[in-house]
Amino acid sequence: MEFSEHIKTANVEDVVLRRPFYQPTKGTLCVTGHHLIFSNRGGDSARPFLLLLRNIDAIEKRPSVSSGTITLKCKDLCVLQLDIPGMEECLNIASSIESLSSLETVSEMYPFFYRPPFLSLQDQWGLSSTEQHYAQMKEIHDGWRVSQVNRDYSVSPSYPPAVIVPHSIDDETLVKAARFRQGGRFPVLCYYHRETGTVIMRSSQPLSGANRKRCREDELLLQAVIDGSELGYIIDTRSSQQAQQARMTGGGFESKSCYRGWKRLHRQLEKGKVLQESLIKLVEACGDQSHSIAMLMMTVWFLCSISCYHVISVVMDGHSVLVHGSEGTDTSLLVSSLAQLILDPDSRTLAGFLGLLEREWVQAGHPFQQRCAHSAYSHVRLRHEAPVFVLLLDCVWQLARQFPLAMGFSEPLLLRLAKEVYASDYGTFLCNSDQERCVTGVKERTHCLFQSLLRANERQHYSNPLYERTELAIWPSIQPPSLQLWKGLFLQWTDDALHLVEAQKVIQNLVSQCHRPLNEKVENTDG
Amino acid sequence: MLFYSEHLLWATFQLLDRYTAKKPAIGTLYLTATHLIFVETSCNTRKETWIIHHHIATVEKLPLTGTGYPLNISCKNFHVVHFVIPSERYCQDVYHSLLRLSQPAKLEDLFAFLYNPKQDEDDRRNGWGFIDSAMDFKRMGLPNEFWELTDLNKNYELCSTYHSELGIPKTARKDTVLGSAKFRSRGRLPTLSYYHKESNGAICRCSQPLSGISARCLEDEEMLQAISRANPNSTFMYVVDTRPKLNAMANRAAGKGYENADNYSNIRFQFVGIENIHVMRNSLQKLLEVCAMKSPTMSDYLTGLENSGWLRHIKAVMDAGVFLAKAVADEKASVLVHCSDGWDRTAQVCSLASILLDNFYRTIKGLMVLIEKEWISMGHKFTQRCGHVDGDPKEVSPVFTQFLECVWNLMEQYPCGFEYNEKYLLEIHNHVYSCQFGNFIGNCQREREEMRLKEKTFSVWPFLWENRQQYINPLYKCSLGREVLRPSTLPLNFKFWCGMYNHFDKGMQPKQSILDHLLTIIQKRVEGEKKMTDFQRKLAVMDGVLADECTLKSRPPEQTLMPPVSVAHTSKNMQIKEETIIQLAPTAGSKQI
């Protein structure tokens, strides 16, 4: 196997491992193609400690004459330390970890080798397809249809093969409209609100360019969404200045005169580099003993999350909405998925939420591989990195904190996703689009995380014991005091988080005790 | 007589939910002898807002607006309301009445002397015996071979602001005690606050020594020696001055100051730097200004919060409490704590350390005992600090509020560590200021006796105990036992207490409460179980297995999910609560209604 060339020293004895919540332990360290394995010689019953190399964000080594210390900073924000006897071994291990953790060939990644006994590659990959999703929504069948125009990914390389569009728009029009949108991402339906009949759509920016080109088909497509009397909002997640600037490079925005009935609003959401750096700053600040909570929350990260909700408040105005920024693969998805969580009780169940993530992020072409190559510790600064998905999870957590009964899923699920998106046994977050996933064989040769999370025993762990379905929209407060630091994520390796985990367990027990059949209890007391 | 002004007013009332732009509600304002009541007439459901006069901190007339004369009322429990009154004369009337009613000139005019919840005299008298701080010394194992209780202060001659029963080291002679008292500011001599059985370490409290530049007192030195010797596990004791060093040094010029470690054998002297009551009052003022901002931006809010310094002060108090607890539990050392007079910062720090060290104070009853012991009986000046009556505004300071906030911060860090929940702290806070009960009236025990509060007023503790069902923390795990809490005091762990300072801004609270939900399902479960057992008993009686109902009633309460509470109490509580409300109503200007 070709991994072996990266492994200079496969085994080292008498290594001391230091990690949060555990006493330092001595044992054997083993480097394999995808994992660091640490086994404690003395403790025969203890399972070996397994660390996915992909999880390692940064590595620091301090070799000395007879030994060396390696500090591993992981993408899940955990920091580990290995004391390795022998300088050469230390350097070898460090260089193996460095090269193995940064392998970029998708088909060599661990999900292609992960074969747990409880899953079969014969299973359907993913929870649902566009067609299945459409079939379930009877109420939209009159006005909307599934178009296979992208079946060979030629219209938009980052869209799934099937999308939902207005009934009156034929595929030919779609092809032309797609040429007018960056990356061919023409406006498609993501949510239909039953009560009002309004919709949320998303796309990428129009390519109007410096000479204000227009596209009849694109205009027709949007006109078909609202009949003349209604008003729709186009939410541009860039500032109007940014949108103006985009025209110079061929992008642009919908001009008022061409899109009758649509009103354009600019609501800037940070993305890309700014977002990545805000995460780095926040994680740094969390480790800084002198920061007060106010100083901590002054980091850009919180501005990002609160501005998401400010955008949502426009979406909720009872009008149809089209969201886009520039590429339509980041902030647009953030807005559309948060809006759905707030409005749609079906998306707040465990399966519903995972379904939402699959539709709005995986199928919709969020470039996970580019965005989540590195996390907060890495010194490598790649151009395309941005923790948009982590920001989504933070926003969802804030929402769940304000409505602790409304969500069918629990905080551990959000934490698990925050970890899996960076380093995973599953193929779900590999690649940048549906097309890439097909080409590299992800769907045939890896397992799907979402399906695994819905297995009976996992499902219980990730369900919210307090869940009580509500049909109402859940409106969060967006006042500054309502926003909090997500301790479960950013301080998850401190004792504080342990107490929170304990509290969750107690809640779980309490609720299950309360919901046990009554006669069972009586039998117990009598017996 | 108190019924001097009863107004009937029509007023536009803007329910000041600062964060939701609600339409103002129109209704009628009633001023009674004890409450301000606003009844909304605009909606179909009759909605009432009651504000007890003593809760009112400031009344402010604002410039005339298009709709009328605005009146801004801020309360000591951080409720802020904004009235617009159509007529100037009415506005003047309300303004002046509220000023007089909120802060009467005499203590005898406080609500507690009027409040009568239709209990009989025996209940009232027994109520005052419900919490006995002296019993707590027994619980700690006193008297024992090291410590004993003395009645040297029975006529408040030794120290007028202390309780009559004091814990002192067994080896301290009478003249040592007397001498030491003379050398301490206001006679507040070193006395036992908490004795930690496991380590023999003790927490003692006093006021600053009258050491000036160079004075010393042999008896005081002996007293500290005696305290130190009462702990065989340690060769030294800590003396903690909770003031910033500069303040303590400034006091030396006035003939007070701090212990010179050269004169006392085997002490380790330590400053912990908690600011004085004036700094705290100003800091709270700044915090409240932040809370009052209308739709602040994220950075305005955070900058305001940071600049108020409030959370830094809370951290300073917590740090000191943690220092004490660690000294006692980990180093097995005794600690003597003082500030200037030893009734503000010292009370905060000693009671916090007790909570960290002893699980008992993390229970509903334990917190009552602690407040009774460290605050009420040791002379925290509630009358002055809370501004119950018209007096020197410079004596007002949120010292007790800070203590509760520290406890809340602990509860946030240890969600399973406390038997009580946030509501309990808020309710105690309400009653400290409401003057509905006699407990928090007066500056010290002697004053309370002179006012004969136990004969004229009711105690709040039985009232809270009756309602304890709603103060239960369902996550409480008694299994934590006597584990010493070791909270993290990193600055980022001190959060803004939305539940206290924005309690009345419902828009800002989480929209659903885990606590309420758990309490409800537990309640349902308990009721379900009760029905089930009742039903089974009936069946059993019908089958002739069981004899009759009477024997059943004497059976111990059913095993429930929450150990300390039984079903029967809740329904009764609800009744009692309703009764008290009804009880209040007749005073509410019934003639006019």
Side-chain angles (χ1 to χ4, degrees):
Chain A
M1 207 154 97
E2 49 198 310
F3 299 118
S4 58
E5 37 190 90
H6 297 289
I7 304 173
K8 292 174 186 147
T9 302
N11 271 298
V12 193
E13 302 277 330
D14 291 330
V15 173
V16 176
L17 168 71
R18 297 168 203 276
R19 54 177 170 143
F21 311 135
Y22 291 89
Q23 292 294 321
T25 38
K26 199 175 238 188
T28 308
L29 182 73
C30 176
V31 186
T32 72
H34 294 109
H35 289 98
L36 272 188
I37 303 168
F38 180 88
S39 44
N40 184 356
R41 269 177 307 167
D44 41 358
S45 62
R47 284 187 18 215
F49 170 69
L50 207 66
L51 180 72
L52 203 55
L53 289 168
R54 182 86 193 149
N55 189 4
I56 295 169
D57 205 25
I59 166 165
E60 284 161 20
K61 46 184 188 284
R62 274 195 312 273
S64 67
V65 184
S66 62
S67 69
T69 301
I70 297 178
T71 306
L72 300 175
K73 298 185 170 176
C74 299
K75 292 170 186 170
D76 61 8
L77 306 181
C78 183
V79 178
L80 312 166
Q81 195 185 310
L82 296 166
D83 300 339
I84 298 171
M87 184 177 74
E88 202 191 326
E89 279 85 354
C90 173
L91 291 174
N92 283 348
I93 295 277
S95 85
S96 307
I97 294 176
E98 262 165 7
S99 45
L100 286 168
S101 62
S102 52
L103 289 181
E104 284 302 323
T105 318
V106 173
S107 59
E108 287 178 359
M109 288 184 183
Y110 186 61
F112 285 87
F113 302 87
Y114 179 61
R115 296 289 174 264
F118 48 82
L119 290 170
S120 154
L121 287 180
Q122 313 306 318
D123 296 340
Q124 180 193 337
W125 198 92
L127 302 175
S128 172
S129 65
T130 309
E131 289 87 346
Q132 287 165 328
H133 182 58
Y134 176 82
Q136 281 167 3
M137 298 189 296
K138 298 264 183 313
E139 65 275 11
I140 69 167
H141 289 187
D142 285 343
W144 300 81
R145 68 185 183 93
V146 172
S147 164
Q148 315 271 3
V149 68
N150 197 39
R151 68 184 78 80
D152 54 358
Y153 304 105
S154 61
V155 177
S156 167
S158 62
Y159 265 174
V163 290
I164 304 174
V165 293
H167 223 295
S168 55
I169 301 298
D170 58 18
D171 282 359
E172 208 175 313
T173 315
L174 291 178
V175 173
K176 285 182 181 153
R179 284 194 207 121
F180 187 62
R181 295 274 173 180
Q182 183 172 0
R185 295 174 71 91
F186 55 87
V188 295
L189 179 83
C190 34
Y191 176 64
Y192 178 87
H193 193 54
R194 264 178 232 126
E195 284 75 10
T196 57
T198 54
V199 296
I200 299 173
M201 305 189 59
R202 55 177 157 70
S203 69
S204 61
Q205 64 177 341
L207 301 173
S208 47
N211 4 327
R212 298 173 187 278
K213 268 187 295 186
R214 45 189 293 195
C215 169
R216 191 76 201 118
E217 289 76 12
D218 189 64
E219 291 162 20
L220 274 176
L221 172 51
L222 283 186
Q223 249 163 41
V225 175
I226 52 171
D227 44 40
S229 57
E230 272 180 276
L231 178 72
Y233 284 115
I234 297 174
I235 298 176
D236 194 326
T237 60
R238 302 164 296 179
S239 68
S240 59
Q241 199 188 358
Q242 285 172 327
Q244 287 286 355
Q245 275 167 1
R247 282 175 48 214
M248 298 306 127
T249 49
F253 49 87
E254 295 82 355
S255 76
K256 204 194 265 176
S257 53
C258 310
Y259 295 84
R260 201 72 41 84
W262 287 90
K263 187 175 158 58
R264 199 180 68 247
L265 299 168
H266 291 277
R267 293 285 183 277
Q268 192 191 349
L269 290 181
E270 297 295 352
K271 52 183 246 177
K273 208 174 149 194
V274 178
L275 197 57
Q276 179 71 17
E277 268 163 17
S278 78
L279 178 73
I280 293 171
K281 284 257 166 61
L282 175 60
V283 170
E284 224 174 71
C286 285
D288 183 333
Q289 313 259 305
S290 68
H291 272 47
S292 71
I293 194 77
M295 285 155 77
L296 201 77
M297 291 184 71
M298 272 181 226
T299 49
V300 181
W301 182 262
F302 291 93
L303 288 178
C304 296
S305 61
I306 209 158
S307 49
C308 288
Y309 283 110
H310 281 291
V311 174
I312 304 291
S313 53
V314 179
V315 180
M316 308 301 174
D317 221 18
H319 296 280
S320 285
V321 164
L322 168 70
V323 200
H324 69 72
S326 30
E327 294 96 339
T329 53
D330 297 290
T331 49
S332 323
L333 311 182
L334 192 60
V335 172
S336 71
S337 26
L338 275 178
Q340 290 181 58
L341 264 184
I342 293 174
L343 289 173
D344 180 12
D346 290 335
S347 71
R348 295 181 218 134
T349 63
L350 178 60
F353 179 60
L354 295 176
L356 176 76
L357 294 181
E358 184 177 72
R359 282 197 314 277
E360 291 298 298
W361 292 81
V362 179
Q363 291 171 356
H366 176 67
F368 281 105
Q369 200 185 340
Q370 289 182 353
R371 298 290 184 258
C372 301
H374 286 288
S375 168
Y377 290 126
S378 172
H379 301 293
V380 186
R381 296 278 185 271
L382 297 174
R383 243 186 86 220
H384 296 293
E385 267 169 54
V388 192
F389 189 72
V390 179
L391 181 62
L392 170 84
L393 296 176
D394 191 326
C395 290
V396 174
W397 178 82
Q398 304 281 355
L399 190 62
R401 196 191 72 82
Q402 293 195 36
F403 294 91
L405 316 182
M407 305 291 193
F409 52 89
S410 63
E411 181 173 354
L413 178 78
L414 300 177
L415 292 172
R416 171 90 187 259
L417 290 169
K419 186 183 165 121
E420 298 279 343
V421 74
Y422 284 104
S424 179
D425 294 345
Y426 298 89
T428 303
F429 297 125
L430 290 179
C431 301
N432 294 307
S433 65
D434 201 62
Q435 184 183 20
E436 282 185 24
R437 254 167 243 125
C438 286
V439 172
T440 50
V442 166
K443 292 186 183 184
E444 288 85 44
R445 291 164 51 208
T446 75
H447 294 291
C448 169
L449 172 67
F450 296 152
Q451 274 180 337
S452 172
L453 292 176
L454 288 174
R455 285 178 301 124
N457 50 343
E458 300 263 343
R459 183 189 271 268
Q460 204 210 338
H461 181 58
Y462 295 118
S463 296
N464 175 8
L466 301 171
Y467 177 54
E468 278 188 347
R469 186 183 166 106
T470 166
E471 298 301 320
L472 303 172
I474 50 171
W475 283 101
S477 152
I478 50 174
Q479 292 306 320
S482 306
L483 207 64
Q484 300 227 333
L485 171 71
W486 184 9
K487 282 196 176 180
L489 179 66
F490 295 108
L491 301 176
Q492 69 176 304
W493 303 104
T494 64
D495 284 354
D496 235 25
L498 279 188
H499 297 137
L500 297 179
V501 170
E502 186 198 11
Q504 280 162 1
K505 264 191 213 140
V506 175
I507 292 178
Q508 182 109 45
N509 288 341
L510 206 60
V511 172
S512 64
Q513 234 173 313
C514 282
H515 290 162
R516 235 176 9 185
L518 271 171
N519 42 1
E520 202 177 304
K521 169 88 184 191
V522 173
E523 274 163 29
N524 284 351
T525 39
D526 283 1
Chain B
M1 191 54 204
L2 271 157
F3 294 91
Y4 58 83
S5 64
E6 287 179 334
H7 297 266
L8 178 60
L9 286 171
W10 289 96
T12 24
F13 170 85
Q14 290 170 8
L15 185 74
L16 199 89
D17 202 343
R18 288 192 289 265
Y19 295 99
T20 49
K22 263 195 191 166
K23 275 191 209 155
I26 295 177
T28 313
L29 183 73
Y30 300 93
L31 287 192
T32 75
T34 56
H35 287 77
L36 174 159
I37 305 157
F38 180 79
V39 183
E40 270 180 50
T41 48
S42 44
C43 52
N44 298 332
T45 50
R46 180 184 163 93
K47 197 183 159 216
E48 294 179 11
T49 307
W50 288 56
I51 296 174
I52 200 161
H53 290 322
H54 300 315
H55 270 161
I56 296 174
T58 58
V59 189
E60 204 186 346
K61 278 189 293 181
L62 300 178
L64 174 67
T65 67
T67 41
Y69 297 83
L71 202 61
N72 221 7
I73 298 175
S74 336
C75 298
K76 292 169 180 174
N77 60 352
F78 312 113
H79 192 182
V80 179
V81 282
H82 185 81
F83 289 107
V84 181
I85 297 166
S87 127
E88 188 179 8
R89 194 177 62 84
Y90 278 153
C91 180
Q92 280 288 355
D93 277 358
V94 174
Y95 176 74
H96 287 296
S97 310
L98 285 181
L99 282 188
R100 250 178 319 183
L101 289 166
S102 60
Q103 268 196 335
K106 299 194 307 270
L107 284 168
E108 289 72 23
D109 292 342
L110 292 173
F111 181 28
F113 295 96
L114 207 71
Y115 174 66
N116 179 8
K118 267 194 190 148
Q119 279 178 15
D120 64 35
E121 188 55 23
D122 282 349
D123 281 355
R124 200 186 52 74
R125 206 173 318 113
N126 293 340
W128 278 107
F130 183 69
I131 296 295
D132 181 2
S133 61
M135 284 300 287
D136 200 42
F137 284 121
K138 223 171 246 166
R139 194 188 59 87
M140 292 180 216
L142 255 62
N144 61 13
E145 53 177 317
F146 308 114
W147 294 89
E148 64 182 10
L149 293 174
T150 171
D151 60 357
L152 283 173
N153 197 36
K154 64 169 178 275
N155 298 320
Y156 305 107
E157 281 159 354
L158 199 56
C159 171
S160 64
T161 55
Y162 269 180
H163 194 253
S164 49
E165 238 179 8
L166 301 174
I168 54 166
K170 220 168 192 170
T171 56
R173 285 176 294 120
K174 190 179 171 188
D175 53 332
T176 307
V177 176
L178 297 181
S180 174
K182 286 209 181 84
F183 189 62
R184 292 281 166 178
S185 178
R186 299 173 201 271
R188 293 174 67 92
L189 68 147
T191 171
L192 184 70
S193 156
Y194 179 71
Y195 174 72
H196 192 241
K197 269 188 264 186
E198 287 80 350
S199 67
N200 283 324
I203 296 175
C204 295
R205 54 184 290 182
C206 60
S207 62
Q208 62 185 337
L210 303 175
S211 49
I213 308 297
S214 61
R216 55 188 288 190
C217 164
L218 277 178
E219 288 89 346
D220 193 60
E221 289 159 25
E222 276 170 27
M223 185 70 185
L224 265 64
Q225 268 267 298
I227 293 173
S228 188
R229 270 202 311 270
N231 178 1
N233 284 331
S234 177
T235 53
F236 68 92
M237 73 183 277
Y238 283 106
V239 175
V240 174
D241 189 329
T242 57
R243 298 169 293 184
K245 188 174 181 185
L246 269 179
N247 300 18
M249 284 170 69
N251 265 298
R252 284 171 64 181
K256 299 166 189 168
Y258 53 93
E259 291 81 356
N260 181 347
D262 296 340
N263 298 340
Y264 295 82
S265 44
N266 303 321
I267 68 163
R268 291 189 188 173
F269 189 83
Q270 181 93 26
F271 288 110
V272 291
I274 304 174
E275 298 290 348
N276 64 26
I277 56 167
H278 312 293
V279 175
M280 300 307 189
R281 180 178 58 242
N282 294 334
S283 174
L284 178 66
Q285 191 50 45
K286 283 188 196 148
L287 182 79
L288 295 181
E289 280 162 22
V290 176
C291 296
M293 285 197 279
K294 277 179 191 158
S295 322
T297 65
M298 192 74 183
S299 88
D300 285 349
Y301 165 74
L302 293 172
T303 314
L305 183 61
E306 184 70 13
N307 291 344
S308 76
W310 181 255
L311 296 178
R312 270 198 301 284
H313 297 314
I314 300 293
K315 173 180 154 55
V317 176
M318 187 77 99
D319 274 328
V322 170
F323 177 86
L324 259 58
K326 278 189 178 157
V328 170
D330 299 348
E331 299 184 66
K332 298 183 190 298
S334 291
V335 190
L336 175 69
V337 192
H338 67 76
C339 44
S340 299
D341 290 312
W343 50 41
D344 294 312
R345 287 167 274 201
T346 303
Q348 287 178 329
V349 170
C350 290
S351 43
L352 207 53
S354 302
I355 288 182
L356 294 172
L357 287 168
D358 194 336
N359 177 49
F360 174 64
Y361 302 120
R362 295 173 227 146
T363 63
I364 290 186
K365 196 156 185 182
L367 186 64
M368 297 179 184
V369 171
L370 186 68
I371 293 171
E372 188 72 39
K373 186 166 73 100
E374 292 301 314
W375 294 83
I376 297 175
S377 69
M378 293 304 280
H380 174 69
K381 304 198 288 178
F382 279 106
T383 298
Q384 293 191 352
R385 295 289 178 265
C386 304
H388 287 334
V389 286
D390 197 15
D392 184 359
K394 285 214 166 71
E395 285 286 340
V396 176
S397 188
V399 177
F400 188 76
T401 309
Q402 286 184 318
F403 162 64
L404 291 181
E405 187 161 338
C406 286
V407 179
W408 175 77
N409 264 296
L410 286 176
M411 282 159 51
E412 286 288 291
Q413 274 197 47
Y414 295 92
C416 308
F418 289 77
E419 190 196 25
Y420 41 86
N421 60 37
E422 185 189 26
K423 286 182 195 172
Y424 186 50
L425 302 184
L426 295 175
E427 191 64 6
I428 291 175
H429 188 259
N430 270 340
H431 283 300
V432 165
Y433 287 99
S434 73
C435 298
Q436 182 174 348
F437 297 92
N439 306 62
F440 305 106
I441 295 174
N443 289 320
C444 61
Q445 206 62 32
R446 190 176 54 93
E447 276 189 25
R448 280 181 205 102
E449 280 178 18
E450 283 167 9
M451 276 187 276
R452 295 191 295 140
L453 280 169
K454 290 192 179 181
E455 293 156 43
K456 294 181 180 167
T457 69
F458 287 83
S459 167
V460 70
W461 305 128
F463 173 79
L464 293 174
W465 183 249
E466 281 286 302
N467 292 316
R468 67 192 177 283
Q469 185 81 53
Q470 49 190 5
Y471 307 132
I472 287 276
N473 169 18
L475 307 185
Y476 177 55
K477 280 168 90 176
C478 342
S479 59
L480 288 173
R482 286 183 69 83
E483 188 189 310
V484 175
L485 298 186
R486 290 181 169 76
S488 152
T489 58
L490 288 183
L492 66 83
N493 276 309
F494 293 88
K495 288 191 290 184
F496 172 70
W497 192 2
C498 208
M500 173 69 98
Y501 303 103
N502 287 120
H503 183 72
F504 295 91
D505 299 305
K506 290 295 174 216
M508 286 180 43
Q509 308 290 330
K511 304 296 189 300
Q512 298 171 326
S513 150
I514 297 179
L515 175 69
D516 288 344
H517 179 75
L518 288 177
L519 288 178
T520 316
I521 60 169
I522 289 170
Q523 181 66 30
K524 270 191 200 148
R525 173 73 188 188
V526 168
E527 276 162 15
E529 273 167 19
K530 190 173 173 290
K531 258 189 211 150
M532 192 71 173
T533 35
D534 282 354
F535 181 63
Q536 292 199 333
R537 268 178 207 145
K538 267 185 201 148
L539 281 179
V541 170
M542 274 160 61
D543 293 349
V545 182
L546 277 174
D548 59 27
E549 302 258 317
C550 307
T551 46
L552 299 173
K553 276 183 184 151
S554 60
R555 267 176 57 152
E558 290 306 307
Q559 189 191 338
T560 63
L561 292 165
M562 287 176 300
V565 198
S566 68
V567 208
H569 270 107
T570 351
S571 49
K572 195 180 151 205
N573 289 339
M574 297 313 289
Q575 266 174 3
I576 286 170
K577 222 188 135 200
E578 274 165 24
E579 269 170 27
T580 44
I581 292 171
I582 295 163
Q583 201 42 59
L584 293 172
T587 56
S590 50
K591 280 172 249 165
Q592 263 132 2
I593 301 173

